[in-house]
C-alpha cells in the first residue's frame, strides 16, 4: 500500500499514486541515506503537527520583516525546549559558527567554545565579506593588530569599505561572531585570519563599546534573516581569541604558519561541500510542488470531446519538470562524494584539500546555477499560480539563487576549478603522469578518444557511452583553453593577463568537467540500489539526466565531429523515452523525496492535492481582506472617482 495515499485526498493525486510501480519507502530511504532517517523525519513532523506553539500564527508571506524576524526568534527560542525531539536550524550559527570551531579552533579553544555554542549560550555568525571586498579575500581591510604588552588584538575597520557586510544573523541576532581580519604582528601583515569576537553584551544584548552593528535592509529574498553590517573601532580581544588550530601566534607575537596556506579557508570549503545536498533538496521541493500540481491541474483537451487533461500529460510539461527531478538525484550523489572527501580532510588528511577545493568549487557553481534555473522552470510550469507566494516557489527561488553568490561568486568558483584543470593540462603536455590517483580528474590524462561517440539507437543505452562523450568535451575544452593561454604567453602577455583573456573558455572547461563528474557520480551511485523496481526508476532518471545534458551541450559534441547529427536524434529519442517511462511514476517519485507539507510550504504542492479550496483560504488570510473597504479608500481613489463624477455633472 502506498503510504502517501490518505482519505480526503484529491482523487486526481490518488489516481497517480495508485499507478506507482515501485516502493516509495525504499526510494525515500535511498534519497535520505537510510530508513532510520526517514523514520526520524516522520517523528519530527508528527511532533511539529502536535505542538501548535511551533506553528506560524498566519502565513509568513503576509508578515512584514519585523514580524517575520520576531516570529522566527520566537520559534528559535522554543528550540531548547523541543530540541531533543524536534531539532531546528539556527542559520549561520549551525552552518558556519560551529563548523569553524570544529575546523579552526585548537583543542583548548574547542573545549571552551564548542559546548557553549552547541548549548546555544551564544549565537554566532561568520563575518568575512566587507562592503568593498568579498571575493578577493587578500584585500580585506579589517585589521587585528597584536599588542604584545597586553597580549590582545585590537580590531579595527579602517575605512567605510572595511565594514563587514552581508553576514547572516549579524544584524540583530548574534552576540559572539567570527571576524575574518588581517593579522598584523610586530609590524608584519600576515593576511586574513579568523577571530572569535564578542559584539553584544550577553545579558542586555546591547552592542559593546567600539561596535557599530545593524541590519542591511531588505534583499531579493530570505526576508527572515537579518544579514548585517559591522564596524569595529579599537575593539580589544584576548590573544587566545584567534583561531589557532592551524596558524598560531605566540605571546611575543611570533607567527607560526599553518601546514597548508589555505587551511584558513576551511569553513568555506565545508559549506560548499554541504550546500550541494541543500540544493538537491531545494530542487526536490520545487519538483514536488510542480509535479503534484501538474497532476491536479487540468487545462485543454488533447482530443476534442474527451475532456480536459492533466497538464502533466503534455510532453512539454514533462520535459520542463522531470529533468529537475533527475538533477535533484544527480546532485544528491555528487554531494555524497564531496561530504566524504570533506570528512577525510577533517580527519586530518590535509593533502586532500586541493582535490576537495577543485571539485567543490566547480560543483558549487554548476549545482547552484542549475538549481535556481530549475526552480524557476518549475515556477513557470505552474502557470499563474506559480507566481503567487502561495506556491512557495518565488521564495524558494530567491533562497536558492543566493547560493550562486554566497560562498564564492559562481564565475569565480568556476575559475578556481579551472586552475586545477590547467595544471593537469600542463602536466599532460609535458608527458607527466599524475602524482597520485584522483578519480575526478584522472580521465584528463588519457589521450583524447580517437574513437567516435558510441551513442546509438538503443533506448536502453549504457551510461558509459554518454559519460565518455562528456569526458571528450571536457578534455577538448580544457586543452583548448590551456593552448590558448600558452599562445598568449608566448606572445609576451603576462600569465595573469592571459588568464583574464581566457576567462570565458576556462569557465566552459570547468563547467564541462563538472558535468562529467556529476554524471559519473549519478551513474555509480545507483549501482548501490538492489531493489529492481526502484533500480528501474533510478535508471530512467539517469537516462533522462544524461541525454538531457547531451542536448544541453550538443554544440560542443558536434563541434569536432565526435558526435554526428544522427546521434543527437538518438539522444532526443532517449529523453522522450525516459519521459514516457517516468510519467506513470512521476508523483510517486517526488513523494519519495519525502518532503512534508511544512517543508514544502506550498498550497500548490500539498500532499493531499486539495489545492483550490486552500488557495481561497490562503488568499482570505491576506491582511487587506480584513477590510471590505480600505480605510484610505475614500481619501484617494474614492475621492478621485467622486471628483470625476461631480465634474461630469458640470
Ligand atoms: C548550506 C547552506 C548554507 C547557507 C549559509 C551560507 C551563508 C554564506 C556565507 C558566506 O558567503 S561566507 C563568505 C564566503 N566568501 C567566499 O567564498 C569568498 C570567495 N573567495 C575565495 O574563496 C578566495 O579568495 C579565492 C577566490 C578562492 C581566491 O583566493 P586567493 O586569492 O587567496 O587565492 P588564489 O591566488 O586565487 O589561489 C592560490 C591557490 O590557493 C588555492 N585555493 C584557493 N582557495 C582555496 C581553498 N579554499 N582551499 C584550497 N585551496 C584553495 C587556489 O586554487 C590556488 O591554488 P594553485 O592553483 O596556486 O595551486
Ligand atoms: C544571501 C547572502 C548571504 C551571505 N552571507 C554571508 C555570510 O554569512 N558571511 C559573509 O562573510 N558573507 C556573506 N555573503 C557575502 C558573499 O559571500 C559575497 O557576496 C560573495 O562571496 C561574492 O563576493 P562579492 O559580493 O564581493 O562579489 P564581487 O566579487 O564584487 O562580484 C561582482 C562580479 O565580479 C566578478 N569577479 C570578481 N572577482 C573576479 C575574478 N577574480 N575573476 C573574474 N570575475 C570576478 C564576479 O564574478 C561578479 O560577476 C552573503 C551574500 C549573500 C548574497
Amino acid at each position: 500500500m502506498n503510504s502517501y495515499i490518505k482519505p480526503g485526498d484529491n482523487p486526481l493525486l490518488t489516481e497517480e499514486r495508485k499507478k506507482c510501480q515501485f516502493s516509495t519507502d525504499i526510494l525515500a530511504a535511498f534519497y535520505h541515506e537510510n530508513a532510520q532517517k526517514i523514520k526520524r523525519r516522520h517523528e519530527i513532523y508528527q511532533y511539529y503537527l502536535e505542538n501548535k506553539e511551533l506553528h506560524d500564527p498566519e502565513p509568513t508571506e503576509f508578515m512584514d520583516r519585523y514580524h517575520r524576524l520576531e516570529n522566527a526568534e520566537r520559534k528559535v527560542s522554543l528550540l531548547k525546549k523541543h530540541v531533543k525531539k524536534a531539532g531546528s536550524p539556527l542559520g549561520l550559527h549551525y552552518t558556519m559558527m560551529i563548523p569553524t570551531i570544529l575546523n579552526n579552533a585548537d583543542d583548548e579553544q574547542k573545549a571552551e567554545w564548542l559546548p557553549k555554542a552547541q548549548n546555544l549560550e551564544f549565537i554566532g555568525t561568520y563575518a568575512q565579506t566587507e562592503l568593498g571586498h568579498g571575493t578577493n579575500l587578500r584585500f580585506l581591510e579589517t585589521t587585528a593588530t597584536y599588542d604584545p604588552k597586553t597580549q590582545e588584538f585590537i580590531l579595527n575597520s579602517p575605512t567605510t569599505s572595511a565594514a563587514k557586510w552581508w553576514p547572516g544573523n549579524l544584524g540583530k541576532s548574534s552576540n559572539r561572531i567570527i571576524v575574518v581580519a588581517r593579522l598584523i604582528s610586530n609590524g608584519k601583515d600576515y593576511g586574513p585570519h579568523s577571530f572569535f569576537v564578542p559584539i553584544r553584551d550577553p545579558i542586555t544584548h546591547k552592542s559593546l563599546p567600539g561596535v557599530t552593528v545593524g541590519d542591511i535592509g531588505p534583499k531579493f529574498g530570505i526576508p527572515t534573516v537579518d544579514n548585517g553590517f559591522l564596524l569595529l573601532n579599537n575593539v580589544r580581544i584576548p590573544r587566545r581569541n584567534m583561531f589557532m588550530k592551524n596558524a598560531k601566534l605566540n605571546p611575543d607575537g611570533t607567527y607560526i604558519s599553518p601546514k597548508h596556506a589555505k587551511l584558513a579557508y576551511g569553513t568555506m570549503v565545508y559549506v560548499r561541500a554541504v550546500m550541494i545536498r541543500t540544493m538537491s533538496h531545494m530542487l526536490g521541493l520545487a519538483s514536488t510542488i510542480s509535479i503534484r500540481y501538474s497532476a491536479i491541474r487540468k487545462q485543454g483537451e488533447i482530443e476534442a470531446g474527451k475532456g480536459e487533461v492533466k497538464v502533466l500529460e503534455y510532453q512539454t510539461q514533462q520535459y520542463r519538470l522531470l529533468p529537475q527531478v533527475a538533477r535533484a538525484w544527480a546532485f544528491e550523489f555528487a554531494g555524497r562524494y564531496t561530504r566524504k572527501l570533506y570528512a577525510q580532510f577533517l580527519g586530518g588528511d590535509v593533502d586532500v584539500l586541493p582535490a576537495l577545493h577543485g571539485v567543490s568549487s566547480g560543483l558549487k557553481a554548476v549545482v547552484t546555477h542549475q538549481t535556481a534555473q530549475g526552480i524557476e522552470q518549475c515556477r513557470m510550469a505552474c502557470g499563474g499560480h506559480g507566481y503567487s507566494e502561495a506556491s512557495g516557489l518565488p521564495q524558494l527561488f530567491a533562497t536558492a539563487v543566493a547560493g550562486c553568490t554566497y560562498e564564492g561568486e559562481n564565475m569565480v568558483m568556476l575559475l578556481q576549478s579551472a586552475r586545477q584543470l590547467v595544471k593537469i593540462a600542463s602536466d599532460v603536455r609535458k608527458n607527466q603522469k599524475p602524482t597520485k590517483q584522483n578519480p575526478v580528474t584522472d580521465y584528463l590524462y588519457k589521450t583524447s578518444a580517437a574513437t567516435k561517440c558510441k551513442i546509438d539507437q538503443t533506448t536502453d543505452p549504457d551510461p558509459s557511452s554518454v559519460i565518455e562523450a562528456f569526458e571528450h568535451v571536457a578534455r577538448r575544452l580544457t586543452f583548448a583553453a590551456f593552448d590558448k593561454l600558452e599562445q598568449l604567453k608566448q606572445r609576451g602577455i603576462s600569465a595573469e593577463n592571459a588568464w583574464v583573456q581566457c576567462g570565458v573558455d576556462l569557465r566552459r572547461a570547468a563547467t564541462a568537467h563538472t558535468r562529467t563528474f556529476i554524471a559519473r557520480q549519478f551513474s555509480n551511485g545507483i549501482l548501490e540500489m538492489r531493489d529492481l523496481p526502484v533500480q528501474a526508476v533510478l535508471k530512467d532518471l539517469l537516462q533522462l539526466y544524461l541525454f538531457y545534458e547531451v542536448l544541453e551541450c550538443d554544440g560542443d559534441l558536434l563541434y569536432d565531429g565526435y558526435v554526428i547529427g544522427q546521434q543527437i536524434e538518438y539522444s532526443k529519442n532517449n529523453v522522450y523515452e525516459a519521459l514516457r517511462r517516468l510519467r506513470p511514476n512521476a508523483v510517486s517519485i517526488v513523494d519519495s523525496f519525502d518532503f512534508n507539507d511544512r517543508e514544502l510550504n506550498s498550497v500548490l504542492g500539498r500532499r493531499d492535492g486539495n489545492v483550490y479550496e486552500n488557495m481561497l483560504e490562503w488568499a482570505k488570510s491576506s491582511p487587506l481582506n480584513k477590510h471590505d473597504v480600505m480605510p484610505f479608500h475614500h481619501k484617494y481613489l474614492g475621492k478621485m472617482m467622486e471628483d470625476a463624477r461631480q465634474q461630469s455633472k458640470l
Side-chain angles (χ1 to χ4, degrees):
M1 179 61 185
N2 184 326
S3 56
Y4 293 90
I5 299 176
K6 302 229 161 54
D9 288 359
N10 186 324
L12 294 172
L13 267 192
T14 303
E15 173 183 275
E16 293 293 326
R17 290 179 172 131
K18 284 186 175 161
K19 282 190 252 176
C20 178
Q21 296 156 330
F22 66 94
S23 158
T24 50
D25 292 343
I26 295 177
L27 189 59
F30 195 46
Y31 185 69
H32 291 279
E33 289 188 306
N34 55 55
Q36 283 71 31
K37 290 211 175 128
I38 295 292
K39 187 167 165 271
R40 184 77 187 122
R41 286 174 56 76
H42 291 184
E43 282 168 6
I44 292 170
Y45 186 48
Q46 192 53 37
Y47 185 83
Y48 160 81
L49 290 175
E50 287 162 11
N51 285 273
K52 300 285 181 236
E53 64 178 347
L54 293 168
H55 297 198
D56 295 320
E58 59 176 318
T60 54
E61 294 79 19
F62 294 117
M63 292 180 189
D64 58 25
R65 280 197 72 214
Y66 182 96
H67 290 102
R68 271 185 192 250
L69 190 57
E70 186 184 18
N71 184 47
E73 286 204 8
R74 180 187 66 79
K75 288 193 288 181
V76 162
S77 68
L78 292 169
L79 178 75
K80 286 194 78 175
K81 182 174 153 199
H82 293 280
V83 77
K84 285 198 184 71
K85 291 185 173 169
S88 159
L90 201 67
L92 274 286
H93 184 73
Y94 282 132
T95 49
M96 298 202 80
M97 168 56 94
I98 291 182
T100 305
I101 297 175
L102 285 167
N103 300 336
N104 292 350
D106 64 28
D107 289 345
E108 196 183 299
Q109 292 174 322
K110 218 181 281 174
E112 164 77 14
W113 296 330
L114 192 60
K116 290 182 182 153
Q118 285 169 333
N119 198 29
L120 297 180
E121 286 172 41
F122 65 82
I123 297 173
T125 185
Y126 183 82
Q128 177 173 287
T129 307
E130 296 174 356
L131 199 46
H133 289 94
T135 295
N136 191 0
L137 300 182
R138 284 187 275 167
F139 276 61
L140 290 181
E141 294 181 77
T142 309
T143 51
T145 308
Y146 185 61
D147 178 357
K149 288 200 275 316
T150 58
Q151 298 195 12
E152 287 173 319
F153 290 102
I154 310 159
L155 284 122
N156 271 304
S157 316
T159 60
T160 303
S161 59
K164 293 295 174 191
W165 201 273
W166 274 116
N169 307 129
L170 171 65
K172 299 290 161 190
S173 314
S174 298
N175 56 359
R176 300 275 179 279
I177 65 166
I178 295 152
V179 170
V180 180
R182 320 180 62 76
L183 163 60
I184 296 166
S185 182
N186 294 330
K188 189 163 175 208
D189 185 339
Y190 291 95
H193 286 73
S194 301
F195 300 86
F196 186 82
V197 184
I199 55 164
R200 289 180 180 274
D201 183 276
I203 312 296
T204 64
H205 201 60
K206 286 195 171 154
S207 44
L208 292 172
V211 172
T212 307
V213 62
D215 174 67
I216 62 168
K219 310 167 288 274
F220 188 71
I222 330 181
T224 308
V225 176
D226 51 323
N227 293 77
F229 67 84
L230 171 79
L231 285 151
L232 299 167
N233 183 11
N234 288 324
V235 171
R236 285 182 170 261
I237 54 166
R239 178 183 70 91
R240 289 290 293 153
N241 278 26
M242 170 177 152
F243 281 83
M244 290 211 204
K245 177 176 171 188
N246 304 310
K248 297 181 189 5
L249 197 84
N250 288 334
D252 66 354
T254 37
Y255 180 77
I256 299 162
S257 302
K259 272 196 248 164
H260 186 292
K262 303 296 172 190
L263 279 174
Y265 296 174
T267 307
M268 288 181 281
V269 174
Y270 162 77
V271 180
R272 288 173 201 146
V274 297
M275 67 193 276
I276 309 306
R277 163 173 276 182
T278 314
M279 290 292 145
S280 164
H281 285 195
M282 291 200 213
L283 198 49
L285 287 165
S287 313
T288 306
I289 294 166
S290 52
I291 287 179
R292 283 185 182 163
Y293 176 66
S294 298
I296 67 99
R297 178 71 167 180
K298 289 191 166 184
Q299 199 85 233
E301 286 182 313
I302 293 179
E303 291 174 75
K306 292 215 167 151
E308 286 204 300
V309 299
K310 298 173 177 181
V311 292
L312 195 53
E313 304 307 350
Y314 296 110
Q315 191 189 47
T316 44
Q317 188 78 355
Q318 296 164 14
Y319 188 73
R320 267 181 146 172
L321 298 182
L322 289 167
Q324 314 313 334
V325 180
R327 279 184 169 171
W329 270 96
F331 301 163
E332 168 57 26
F333 287 117
R336 284 180 194 180
Y337 184 93
T338 52
R339 291 200 307 281
K340 219 159 85 185
L341 218 53
Y342 184 80
Q344 204 177 320
F345 166 66
L346 199 58
D349 184 358
V350 174
D351 295 346
V352 85
L353 188 60
L356 175 59
H357 175 59
V359 68
S360 59
S361 45
L363 199 55
K364 180 267 179 202
V366 169
V367 166
T368 54
H369 181 70
Q370 292 187 350
T371 297
Q373 272 187 330
I375 295 171
E376 179 59 355
Q377 203 50 248
C378 290
R379 187 192 66 72
M380 289 191 282
C382 290
H385 295 329
Y387 194 72
S388 165
E389 291 240 24
S391 72
L393 292 166
Q395 278 305 321
L396 193 57
F397 174 77
T399 304
V401 80
C404 298
T405 305
Y406 66 61
E407 282 318 333
E409 206 285 322
N410 274 358
M411 210 57 78
V412 174
M413 289 295 100
L414 286 169
L415 291 172
Q416 283 292 313
S417 162
R419 283 180 83 106
Q420 193 188 29
L421 303 183
V422 163
K423 267 196 214 156
I424 294 171
S426 165
D427 284 352
V428 172
R429 288 280 189 254
K430 290 184 210 143
N431 277 328
Q432 281 171 7
K433 296 277 167 258
T435 42
K436 64 172 162 174
Q437 275 199 325
N438 179 346
V440 179
T441 50
D442 281 350
Y443 75 95
L444 290 164
Y445 288 87
K446 290 188 216 156
T447 42
S448 207
T451 47
K452 296 285 177 194
C453 178
K454 294 187 204 123
I455 293 172
D456 62 20
Q457 62 194 14
T458 173
T459 52
D460 209 1
D462 182 347
S464 67
S465 61
V466 183
I467 295 171
E468 276 173 27
F470 293 160
E471 286 180 353
H472 176 84
V473 170
R475 205 161 27 221
R476 184 173 63 71
L477 293 176
T478 296
F479 285 97
F482 173 78
D483 291 341
K484 191 168 159 191
L485 271 174
E486 291 303 297
Q487 282 159 16
L488 290 172
K489 285 195 268 180
Q490 276 161 19
R491 276 200 254 143
I493 295 173
S494 69
E496 294 77 8
N497 276 314
W499 183 264
V500 171
Q501 288 184 35
C502 293
V504 176
D505 293 329
L506 289 163
R507 175 198 69 79
R508 291 182 65 212
T511 306
H513 168 65
T514 307
R515 177 192 298 120
T516 308
F517 168 76
I518 300 174
R520 205 181 302 110
Q521 291 317 117
F522 194 174
S523 175
N524 291 342
I526 70 169
L527 298 177
E528 288 168 32
M529 175 45 65
R530 295 276 166 261
D531 181 273
L532 291 180
V534 172
Q535 199 186 70
V537 168
L538 288 168
K539 275 186 175 167
D540 291 339
L541 286 170
L542 175 64
Q543 174 163 329
L544 177 58
Y545 174 80
L546 292 174
F547 286 98
Y548 188 83
E549 290 293 331
V550 166
L551 301 184
E552 288 278 288
C553 66
D554 54 359
D556 284 326
L557 285 161
L558 291 162
Y559 177 86
D560 59 351
Y562 180 77
V563 153
I564 57 167
Q566 184 63 57
Q567 288 170 307
I568 298 298
E569 284 307 312
Y570 296 147
S571 301
K572 282 186 195 163
N573 288 340
N574 277 328
V575 167
Y576 307 147
E577 176 60 16
L579 295 179
R580 191 191 63 74
R581 289 185 202 158
L582 287 163
R583 165 63 191 95
N585 287 318
V587 167
S588 294
I589 293 170
V590 293
D591 282 347
S592 308
F593 285 132
D594 197 56
F595 295 122
N596 59 51
D597 281 353
R598 189 186 70 86
E599 291 168 296
L600 289 162
N601 191 31
S602 166
V603 180
L604 302 193
R606 297 168 62 94
R607 187 207 52 77
D608 65 13
N610 295 326
V611 172
Y612 296 137
E613 48 276 57
N614 285 293
M615 278 294 277
L616 191 56
E617 280 310 304
W618 188 86
K620 280 184 186 165
S621 50
S622 165
L624 298 192
N625 295 327
K626 287 191 183 125
H627 314 271
D628 180 29
V629 177
M630 295 310 286
F632 45 80
H633 173 80
H634 292 294
K635 201 168 157 192
Y636 302 116
L637 294 184
K639 181 169 183 312
M640 184 187 76
M641 291 187 284
E642 180 57 26
D643 288 352
R645 279 193 295 272
Q646 294 303 332
Q647 274 185 0
S648 69
K649 281 188 203 155
L650 293 176

